[in-house]
Structure formats: structure tokens, C-alpha cells
Amino acid sequence: MKTIRFFAWMTSILFVSLASSGQTNRSYMLQEADDYFKAGRYWDAFFLYRECAKLPEFQSENKISEQVKNSSQALYLTKKFKDYRALQKYEPAKNNLIELISLNPNDPNRGELPKITLAQGAELQRLAWRQPTPQATADMLKRAIMFYHQAIREGLMDEAIAVTIRQCEASIKDTGVTDVSVPALAADSAQDNKTNAAQSLAPVASPRKAATPPTVIILPSQSTPKTNN
């Protein structure tokens, strides 16, 4: 009789241990899905969240179903951001990246945000001398300077940026234009607000001199464009 009771007791302990182990493993499953999402491994996170959603103990948790959707959306935004960046379409690339950061403040691509802003400024600086009038050239150079300062605020700090800003300022003086207006200022401010919102969610590394300076296009001084008669 004692032997039977002993085996019954051992069986009950084993059953409880297995049940507890199963629950622990399932909790690890959810934690692993969260870790995948934070690390930007959205494909892995999507399938693991979906598996968690099938488990009875997780079916009442809205967070998991939301994370299934978020993982899918993050996959889409990552692809769009990378595609636009490869095509040098910086504005839509930045918009998709900002939305991605709002979903996952830990996204590994968040450090690309100031680099895109820097590229926007370099593009405007390059195009400035193709403008038909000195006024248009000066205005575009002013906008380039705004993007360079924005890149610094977003955490990208390098001596080359300061040099480029000074060169843009010197180029504006070369145009002879004293009244520099920026027609797209309102649009830039709206973008600045969106960027700041993303930065508050996922601050980029604090400003410091970069180990590898980003590529900045610096144009040599050119003659003042002639005004069309």
C-alpha cells in the first residue's frame, strides 16, 4: 500500500512539474517573439506571435494579436524604406522609417534617419547651382543648410557637416542675394515635427564625432548664376 501511495505521489509531482515546465516554455516563447520584434527580426516575430496566439492561455491577450499585425506592418515599412533609400528617394524613405520607429523604437535602422537627412541636404546643395536665378540658388542653399542642422539635431555629428554648412553660407554670399527666402519652409517644419516625434520615441546615439565620416558632397566655389533677362 505504501508503495502504491509513493508512486501516486511521485506521479502527481511529475505531472505538476511537466505542466509547470510547459507553461514556462510557452512564456519563453512569447518573450522570444518580443525579443525578435525589438531586434527588427519581424519575419521571425510574426510567425512566433502567430503561434503564441493559438495557445489557449494567450488567446485572451490583445497584445499578441496586435503584435502579429505590427510585425507584418513593420516588415512592409522596412522594405519600403530600403527600396526608397536605394532609389535615393529620400523623402518617402524617411517617412517610412519614421513610421517604422514609431512601431518599434528599438528598430536597428533608426540610426539611418540623420543619414537620410544629411543626404537630403547634399542633394539640395548639388542642385543649387543648376537654378536659373541667383535668388533660387540662394534659397536652395538655405534649405540645404536647414537639412544639415536637422541631421545634427538628430544625432549625427561630424566635422565635415560644419565645414559644409560654412561653405553653403559662403556660396549664398557669392550669389549677391541678401534676402533669402525659403518657399517650402512650412513643409520642412511639418517634417521636422514628425522627425522630432520619432526621435522622442527612439533617440539616436548622442552627438559625437563619427568613426567613419558620412559622405558629404562639397561643391567648389562657382561663379554667380546670371539672371535671365
Side-chain angles (χ1 to χ4, degrees):
M1 182 65 70
K2 289 183 179 179
T3 302
I4 295 175
R5 285 201 298 268
F6 174 76
F7 278 111
W9 178 68
M10 289 297 294
T11 302
S12 64
I13 291 177
L14 181 61
F15 177 79
V16 170
S17 298
L18 289 174
S20 176
S21 176
Q23 291 176 351
T24 301
N25 288 338
R26 289 172 178 178
S27 295
Y28 281 141
M29 224 172 121
L30 180 56
Q31 182 60 53
E32 188 176 13
D34 288 338
D35 290 342
Y36 281 149
F37 187 84
K38 290 177 183 178
R41 295 175 58 178
Y42 301 119
W43 186 261
D44 295 321
F46 173 80
F47 284 104
L48 203 50
Y49 279 128
R50 200 168 64 170
E51 288 302 310
C52 289
K54 297 176 183 177
L55 299 175
E57 59 264 44
F58 293 141
Q59 287 179 355
S60 61
E61 294 192 21
N62 293 330
K63 171 205 167 182
I64 295 178
S65 60
E66 283 299 315
Q67 282 301 92
V68 171
K69 296 176 184 176
N70 288 341
S71 298
S72 177
Q73 179 69 2
L75 272 171
Y76 170 79
L77 290 171
T78 301
K79 184 178 186 308
K80 296 296 287 183
F81 150 66
K82 290 183 176 180
D83 287 348
Y84 280 126
R85 183 184 59 181
L87 294 170
Q88 296 185 349
K89 294 184 177 181
Y90 300 120
E91 192 66 22
K94 178 183 280 189
N95 289 336
N96 280 279
L97 180 55
I98 289 173
E99 191 174 349
L100 178 60
I101 293 172
S102 70
L103 279 179
N104 177 20
N106 299 291
D107 187 271
N109 294 299
R110 65 189 184 277
E112 295 299 310
L113 187 61
K115 295 179 183 177
I116 294 175
T117 304
L118 182 67
Q120 287 178 291
E123 183 178 48
L124 289 176
Q125 184 182 359
R126 183 179 69 252
L127 295 174
W129 293 105
R130 300 182 186 177
Q131 302 309 302
T133 66
Q135 181 70 57
T137 296
D139 290 344
M140 189 161 284
L141 287 169
K142 181 65 175 179
R143 290 193 63 213
I145 291 173
M146 291 172 61
F147 277 111
Y148 289 140
H149 281 297
Q150 178 64 36
I152 292 172
R153 288 195 298 272
E154 290 169 351
L156 189 61
M157 197 69 172
D158 187 84
E159 293 175 356
I161 302 178
V163 171
T164 306
I165 290 173
R166 288 196 294 270
Q167 185 171 19
C168 285
E169 291 171 343
S171 296
I172 291 174
K173 291 182 180 178
D174 288 343
T175 64
V177 176
T178 56
D179 182 18
V180 180
S181 60
V182 185
L185 182 60
D188 291 337
S189 297
Q191 179 62 62
D192 189 62
N193 290 335
K194 289 172 64 179
T195 302
N196 288 337
Q199 290 298 102
S200 66
L201 289 171
V204 184
S206 58
R208 64 184 185 279
K209 182 178 178 180
T212 303
T215 301
V216 180
I217 299 175
I218 303 178
L219 300 178
S221 298
Q222 301 185 35
S223 58
T224 304
K226 295 180 180 181
T227 306
N228 294 337
N229 293 324

